[in-house]
């Protein structure tokens, strides 16, 4: 059986140092140092700092808060990311763009929207691993590819079983985060067809092809 | 420069920047006091940065409520150490403040619409609100000057109460984007005219400033000076005169009077050191923002003015207004799978819908007295985290893999958002005063807000949403769930549109106003107000262009009086 490639965090040393700085600031007062990523669930996150009201904008510093996903949770998240957006012929996979680390950054952030997402995402990742154990006596990573796909595909369907309602809603949210994270990168821009963010001497407006498309559609609408 | 200065200006945004530009060019020695930190758009603007370079993909947070790359510094709906309160029983009110040189001109929407002739005489028009002490014709030459100085796009359209500028004032408007050409046909199909946007963005070089290169959102600021910011357009030429000194982190809380009852300067706290300082000048200009200027007056108490400076008739803080806002959006199958194209443009809309119902209102055929204009957003703008939400709404099925990629390409660029911005009529329930208990970090009493929309505004908000749904339907679109048809639910919160004006209004006499038609206070002849506080009404047209025109006119008058020794 072929195992998936383990996800290797794409976090650089600069970011890790930023977390340690953030953790040290959060724990100022003498608590023990916090590892950059722990083996077990971390609970010492309540007092993490945000990036403040005057961050440098031209060269943003990495998000300063410590990451909360364990190594195992990050692997589960990575499998989900590539279930949602695997590589295509023209575009890289979500993991190749570091989306699992973004999920970790997001759910670890100290802001209200992200704090609201945190228990939803953590519970969903836990549910998936528990379900893999229940069904296949394996974690998701070591499950047979067909089993892994079956488990995740079932979650994309509108649930008929009430027990699947929460995991299904989790996947909607997780998917929205993956989509947002993926398409806000340069490869994501290319894949979705965003052609801006380049300096132009003049603004040409829509091309003849675009105008022809619009004329066809407006005609159908009687306009 | 040495004290006393000729003029102290409090604030560096539209009103303060314009005052400094005018007064320093007239040869007066000026000290500008800015509550926030110094700020340089040339080196600090994140040009071309994309979401993946920023924490949380640049998504908004309480630290940066309009997103990571928004220009606002140390501010937003809350400013650390500087609270405000809402009176018991009041509807919500929100107060956006930055703490940076140039104030809100760094991030503002750049929509630059002249008020029209009817807007200056609202009471004469329908018996509501108050007439201004000036007419459109009196302000028109100052609008001309402002447009020529800052650079505003647009073209003559010949629409009622939507003034055309004289030849040579405006820059060519950019070509409408695909979705804008599409939505124009929808509005025209409903008999509603669409106009070229009046945007404070250069499409041609002007006074050493480059034209827009059609990339990077204006809300970030602009390092090539292609849009209007006080920090790129007004303050550099003022500094070049050698007559301007700027002190940052100076939070002014009091105007000081001499024995004769004239203003002799101001007192401020340094936000960094916490030290209090007084500085002196022959005249004082308040341009701290409508609410902050009112706060300074209310906190300037003396034996002659026990309820606050210029507040003998209880007018300071009164007639606080904001624009009425309501919004809805739609997804349009006709826009799906458009050939990819660069829709960045000047970042704000290239078109807008001016109010089209003046004649109907004159005939009492609409259930609300005043109008609104419509702003739109859409197209293939730089993807943000919201794309995930769009794909959650549009699908029924949760696609993954190549089906998801197809969905993303199909849906992206097929949404159009509609926002109404309407006129609020000043009322007795909307005002600000000092909170009797709460003080800021430095012990200065803070503002307390009182707010209540009237039926004039909620009726208008309901009409906005009705119009949006009609045009979405006409264009074969599906409205995004969550819209409100009940005006009371659809309407924005007070202050949320960040067009708060009024509070120190101009008028015909000390009984009906705080300042005269030149922003000169009735009570203290060498004290002027040149920000949005002086506005008598709040037409649907966004206020900044009018604040600039009024400030230029007021500062010009101040300079004339100063030279004559008449202050």
């Amino acid at each position: 059986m072929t195992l998936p490639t383990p996800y290797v965090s794409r976090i650089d040393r600069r970011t890790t140092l930023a977390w340690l700085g953030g953790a040290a600031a959060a724990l100022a007062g003498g608590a023990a140092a916090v590892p950059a990523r722990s083996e077990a669930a971390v609970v010492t996150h309540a007092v993490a700092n945000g990036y403040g009201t005057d961050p440098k904008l031209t060269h943003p510093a990495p998000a300063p808060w410590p990451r909360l996903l364990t190594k195992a949770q990050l692997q589960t998240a990575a499998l989900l990311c590539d279930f949602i957006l695997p590589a295509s012929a023209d575009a890289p996979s979500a993991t190749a763009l570091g989306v699992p680390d973004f999920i970790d950054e997001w759910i670890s952030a100290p802001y209200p929207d992200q704090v609201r997402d945190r228990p939803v995402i953590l519970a969903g990742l836990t549910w998936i691993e528990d379900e893999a154990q229940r069904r296949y006596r394996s974690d998701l990573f070591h499950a047979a590819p067909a089993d892994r796909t079956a488990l995740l595909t079932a979650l994309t369907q509108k649930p008929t079983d009430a027990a699947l309602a929460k995991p299904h809603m989790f996947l909607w949210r997780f998917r929205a985060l993956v989509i947002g994270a993926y398409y806000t990168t340069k490869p994501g821009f290319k894949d979705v067809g965003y052609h801006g963010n380049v300096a132009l001497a003049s603004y040409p407006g829509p091309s003849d092809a675009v105008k022809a498309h619009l004329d066809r559609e407006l005609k159908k609408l009687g306009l | 420069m040495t004290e006393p200065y000729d003029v102290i200006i409090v604030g560096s945004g539209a009103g303060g920047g314009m005052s400094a530009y005018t007064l320093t060019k007239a040869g007066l020695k000026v000290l500008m006091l800015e509550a926030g930190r110094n700020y340089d758009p040339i080196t600090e603007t994140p040009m071309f940065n994309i979401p993946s370079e920023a924490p949380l993909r640049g998504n908004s947070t309480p630290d940066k409520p309009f997103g990571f790359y928004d220009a606002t510094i140390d501010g937003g709906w809350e400013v650390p150490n500087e609270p405000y309160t809402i009176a018991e029983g009041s509807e919500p009110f929100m107060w956006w403040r930055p703490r940076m040189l140039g104030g809100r001109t760094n991030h503002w929407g750049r929509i630059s619409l002249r008020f029209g002739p009817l807007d200056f005489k609202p009471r004469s028009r329908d018996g509501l609100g108050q007439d201004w002490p000036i007419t459109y014709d009196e302000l028109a030459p100052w609008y001309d000057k402002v447009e020529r100085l800052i650079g505003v796009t647009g073209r003559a359209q010949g629409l009622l109460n939507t003034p055309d500028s004289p030849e040579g004032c405006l820059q060519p408007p950019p070509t409408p984007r695909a979705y804008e050409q599409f939505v124009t046909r929808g509005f025209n199909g409903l008999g509603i005219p669409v106009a070229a946007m009046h945007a404070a963005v250069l499409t041609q070089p002007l006074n050493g400033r480059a034209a827009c290169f059609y990339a990077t959102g204006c809300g970030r600021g602009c390092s090539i000076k292609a849009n209007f910011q006080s920090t790129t357009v007004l303050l550099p030429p003022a500094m070049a005169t050698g007559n301007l000194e700027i002190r940052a982190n100076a939070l002014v809380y009091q105007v000081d009077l001499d024995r004769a009852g004239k203003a002799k300067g101001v007192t401020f706290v340094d936000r960094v050191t916490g030290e209090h300082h007084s500085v002196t000048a022959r005249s004082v200009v308040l341009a701290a923002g409508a609410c902050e200027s009112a706060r300074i007056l209310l906190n300037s108490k003396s034996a002659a003015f026990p309820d606050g400076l210029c507040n003998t008739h209880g007018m300071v803080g009164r007639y606080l207004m904001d624009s009425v806002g309501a919004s809805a959006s739609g997804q349009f199958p006709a826009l799906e799978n458009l050939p990819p194209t660069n829709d960045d443009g000047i970042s704000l809309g290239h078109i807008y819908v001016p109010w089209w119902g003046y004649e109907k209102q004159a005939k009492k055929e609409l259930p609300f007295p005043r109008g609104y204009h419509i702003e739109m957003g859409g197209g293939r703008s730089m993807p943000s985290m919201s794309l995930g939400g769009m794909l959650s709404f549009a699908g029924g099925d949760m696609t993954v893999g190549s089906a998801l990629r197809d969905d993303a390409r199909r849906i992206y660029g097929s949404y159009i958002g509609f926002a109404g911005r309407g006129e609020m009529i000043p009322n007795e329930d909307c005002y600000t005063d000092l909170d009797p208990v709460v003080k800021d970090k430095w012990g200065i009493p803070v503002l307390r807000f009182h707010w209540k929309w009237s039926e004039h505004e909620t009726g208008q908000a309901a009409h906005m949403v009705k119009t949006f749904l009609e045009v979405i339907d006409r264009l074969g679109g599906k409205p995004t769930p969550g819209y409100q048809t009940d005006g009371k639910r659809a309407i924005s919160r007070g202050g949320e549109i960040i067009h708060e004006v009024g509070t120190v209004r101009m008028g015909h006499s000390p009984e009906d106003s705080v300042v005269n038609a030149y922003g000169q206070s009735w009570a203290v002849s060498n004290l002027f107000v040149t920000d949005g506080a002086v506005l008598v009404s709040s037409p649907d047209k966004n206020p900044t262009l009018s604040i600039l025109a009024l400030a230029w006119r007021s500062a010009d008058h101040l300079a004339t009086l100063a030279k004559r020794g008449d202050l």
Side-chain angles (χ1 to χ4, degrees):
Chain A
M1 188 176 82
T2 333
L3 288 174
T5 311
Y7 180 66
V8 180
S9 182
R10 305 172 78 83
I11 297 302
D12 58 12
R13 185 177 143 73
R14 182 166 162 255
T15 306
T16 310
L17 288 172
W19 301 348
L20 288 172
L27 293 172
V34 172
R37 186 183 301 289
S38 80
E39 301 290 336
V42 186
V43 288
T44 54
H45 55 260
V47 288
N49 292 320
Y51 48 65
T53 55
D54 189 9
K56 190 173 174 67
L57 302 187
T58 50
H59 300 84
W65 47 88
R67 306 303 192 257
L68 300 178
L69 291 184
T70 63
K71 283 181 178 169
Q73 286 168 329
L74 190 70
Q75 290 303 330
T76 310
L79 293 168
L80 266 173
C81 284
D82 280 359
F83 169 71
I84 293 165
L85 280 171
S88 73
D90 308 309
S93 67
T95 52
L97 296 182
V99 174
D101 283 306
F102 172 77
I103 300 287
D104 196 5
E105 176 186 312
W106 183 276
I107 65 109
S108 304
Y111 300 112
D113 287 354
Q114 287 72 29
V115 168
R116 205 173 307 126
D117 276 338
R118 185 184 301 160
V120 176
I121 302 300
L122 291 178
L125 295 174
T126 301
W127 186 93
I128 284 173
E129 286 299 346
D130 288 351
E131 186 67 5
Q133 288 293 344
R134 192 179 70 79
R135 286 198 205 176
Y136 314 122
R137 296 179 186 284
S138 159
D139 59 23
L140 195 67
F141 187 86
H142 291 93
D147 289 344
R148 195 161 51 232
T149 305
L151 194 162
L152 296 179
T153 303
L155 286 187
T156 65
Q157 315 292 329
K158 202 165 185 184
T160 46
D161 180 350
L164 292 180
K166 270 194 174 177
H168 178 69
M169 289 313 293
F170 148 77
L171 196 59
W172 270 121
R173 185 66 194 135
F174 191 92
R175 176 178 173 270
L177 292 175
V178 171
I179 292 167
Y182 185 91
Y183 287 109
T184 46
T185 61
K186 278 187 180 167
F189 290 171
K190 182 162 176 270
D191 198 44
V192 84
Y194 170 62
H195 288 198
N197 207 36
V198 290
L200 303 175
S202 63
Y203 181 71
S207 65
D208 289 344
V210 170
K211 282 195 249 184
H213 177 113
L214 284 181
D215 281 339
R216 271 197 310 277
E217 294 295 328
L218 284 162
K219 204 167 184 183
K220 284 187 219 164
L221 293 164
L223 286 168
Chain B
M1 284 186 269
T2 53
E3 293 187 51
Y5 296 89
D6 289 323
V7 188
I8 289 170
I9 299 173
V10 181
S12 61
M18 194 73 245
S19 302
Y21 177 90
T22 309
L23 295 169
T24 56
K25 289 209 165 227
L28 297 172
K29 302 288 181 189
V30 174
L31 171 68
M32 173 178 276
L33 298 171
E34 163 53 47
R37 75 158 169 86
N38 194 12
Y39 168 68
D40 176 16
I42 311 302
T43 58
E44 296 193 58
T45 307
M47 306 297 282
F48 298 107
N49 289 59
I50 66 173
S52 59
E53 295 167 64
L56 305 176
R57 295 297 200 258
N59 217 52
S60 71
T61 68
D63 280 340
K64 295 284 292 188
F66 283 1
F68 185 83
Y69 291 127
D70 177 67
T72 303
I73 291 169
D74 289 334
W77 301 116
E78 307 286 340
V79 171
N81 307 315
E82 300 181 48
Y84 58 91
T85 66
I86 310 298
E88 210 176 312
S90 167
E91 292 177 12
F93 185 84
M94 305 164 78
W95 187 19
W96 182 283
R97 292 166 291 172
R99 285 291 175 254
M100 65 196 299
L101 191 67
R104 290 179 286 189
T105 67
N106 295 304
H107 95 135
W108 71 302
R110 272 91 187 171
I111 295 177
S112 304
L113 308 172
R114 294 181 178 212
F115 294 178
L118 293 175
D119 298 325
F120 290 90
K121 302 296 168 192
R123 192 171 190 85
S124 302
R125 176 180 159 200
D126 59 18
L128 297 168
Q130 186 80 4
D131 285 350
W132 291 58
I134 56 172
T135 62
Y136 172 74
D137 289 340
E138 284 173 87
L139 197 58
W142 302 93
Y143 278 130
D144 296 353
K145 284 159 68 88
V146 170
E147 287 172 349
R148 287 175 197 273
L149 174 69
I150 72 173
V152 175
T153 65
R155 79 162 67 84
Q157 311 266 169
L159 298 170
L160 191 61
N161 201 38
T162 305
D164 293 332
S165 302
E167 194 71 28
C169 285
L170 297 177
Q171 298 221 333
T175 307
R177 302 169 178 92
Y179 85 89
E180 292 172 326
Q181 300 191 14
F182 173 73
V183 83
T184 296
R185 300 265 279 272
F187 275 112
N188 291 347
L190 298 173
I192 299 172
V194 173
M197 180 58 86
H198 289 235
V201 179
L202 301 184
T203 53
Q204 293 177 341
L206 181 69
N207 300 332
R209 294 162 54 206
C212 180
F213 55 40
Y214 308 103
T216 300
C218 287
R220 301 177 179 198
C222 188
S223 73
I224 64 164
K225 310 181 194 179
N227 66 35
F228 169 75
Q229 294 170 256
S230 175
T231 36
T232 52
V233 181
L234 300 176
L235 298 183
M239 286 300 283
T241 64
N243 293 329
L244 179 63
E245 192 177 317
I246 297 174
R247 177 156 181 167
N249 294 311
L251 183 65
V252 174
Y253 59 89
Q254 181 177 293
V255 176
D256 303 317
L257 299 185
D258 65 16
R259 281 190 203 147
K262 293 270 185 81
K264 68 172 181 184
V266 300
T267 300
F268 65 89
V269 61
D270 185 308
R271 289 168 73 249
V272 177
T273 65
E275 288 172 3
H276 296 250
H277 302 272
S278 295
V279 281
T280 57
R282 294 182 184 88
S283 54
V284 170
V285 171
L286 296 183
C291 297
E292 197 71 49
S293 289
R295 181 184 176 211
I296 293 168
L297 290 175
L298 292 169
N299 272 318
S300 303
K301 293 181 180 175
S302 61
F305 298 100
D307 298 321
L309 191 57
C310 307
N311 198 26
T312 306
H313 298 277
M315 295 294 293
V316 175
R318 287 272 152 196
Y319 307 116
L320 173 62
M321 294 168 276
D322 185 25
S323 296
V324 178
S327 59
S329 67
Q331 193 272 331
F332 297 86
L335 296 176
E336 292 177 7
N337 298 313
L338 269 180
T341 185
N342 181 346
D343 276 348
D344 280 4
I346 61 169
S347 87
L348 64 153
H350 293 185
I351 58 165
Y352 81 110
V353 177
W355 177 236
W356 64 95
Y358 291 107
E359 282 155 352
K360 275 191 171 179
Q361 280 174 331
K363 290 188 227 154
K364 310 276 183 211
E365 287 175 7
L366 288 174
F368 55 97
R370 301 287 172 73
Y372 60 90
H373 72 262
I374 301 172
E375 303 169 9
M376 284 146 285
R380 307 174 80 88
S381 56
M382 185 184 282
S384 71
M385 285 302 287
S386 66
L387 192 59
M390 288 182 193
L391 280 154
S392 301
F393 156 67
D397 295 332
M398 194 193 301
T399 51
V400 297
S402 59
L404 169 54
R405 288 185 192 275
D406 289 345
D407 275 351
R409 281 189 282 263
R410 181 172 58 82
I411 292 296
Y412 170 59
S414 70
Y415 278 81
I416 301 174
F418 300 84
R421 293 289 178 263
E423 174 164 1
M424 169 190 176
I425 296 167
N427 69 56
E428 299 295 330
D429 296 318
C430 296
Y431 63 99
T432 185
D433 58 8
L434 293 180
D435 190 290
V437 178
V438 180
K439 295 182 169 58
D440 68 15
K441 183 187 176 184
W442 304 279
I444 318 300
V446 307
L447 287 180
R448 174 175 64 176
F449 291 99
H450 307 253
W451 194 263
K452 190 167 186 251
W453 291 117
S454 80
E455 286 176 0
H456 301 316
E457 289 83 33
T458 55
Q460 186 196 64
H463 194 271
M464 290 178 183
V465 177
K466 181 169 158 281
T467 305
F468 304 154
L469 295 177
E470 279 171 8
V471 77
I472 290 169
D473 182 65
R474 186 67 193 86
L475 289 164
K478 296 186 289 273
T480 313
Y483 62 84
Q484 301 286 349
T485 52
D486 176 352
K488 288 195 179 78
R489 288 170 172 272
I491 199 165
S492 50
R493 293 180 178 195
E496 189 178 1
I497 308 303
I498 321 184
H499 292 165
E500 73 281 2
V501 297
T503 70
V504 187
R505 77 177 178 191
M506 61 166 60
H508 299 88
S509 75
E511 284 72 41
D512 73 1
S513 55
V514 185
V515 297
N516 69 17
Y518 289 100
Q520 181 181 24
S521 83
W522 294 111
V524 181
S525 64
N526 64 342
L527 173 63
F528 285 69
V529 180
T530 64
D531 58 25
V534 303
L535 269 63
V536 182
S537 68
S538 176
D540 70 274
K541 291 98 171 172
N542 312 38
T544 302
L545 188 78
S546 297
I547 292 170
L548 288 164
L550 289 164
W552 200 337
R553 181 172 177 271
S554 292
D556 184 73
H557 186 66
L558 193 167
T560 304
L561 294 181
K563 283 180 187 165
R564 287 208 311 246
D566 279 350
L567 280 174

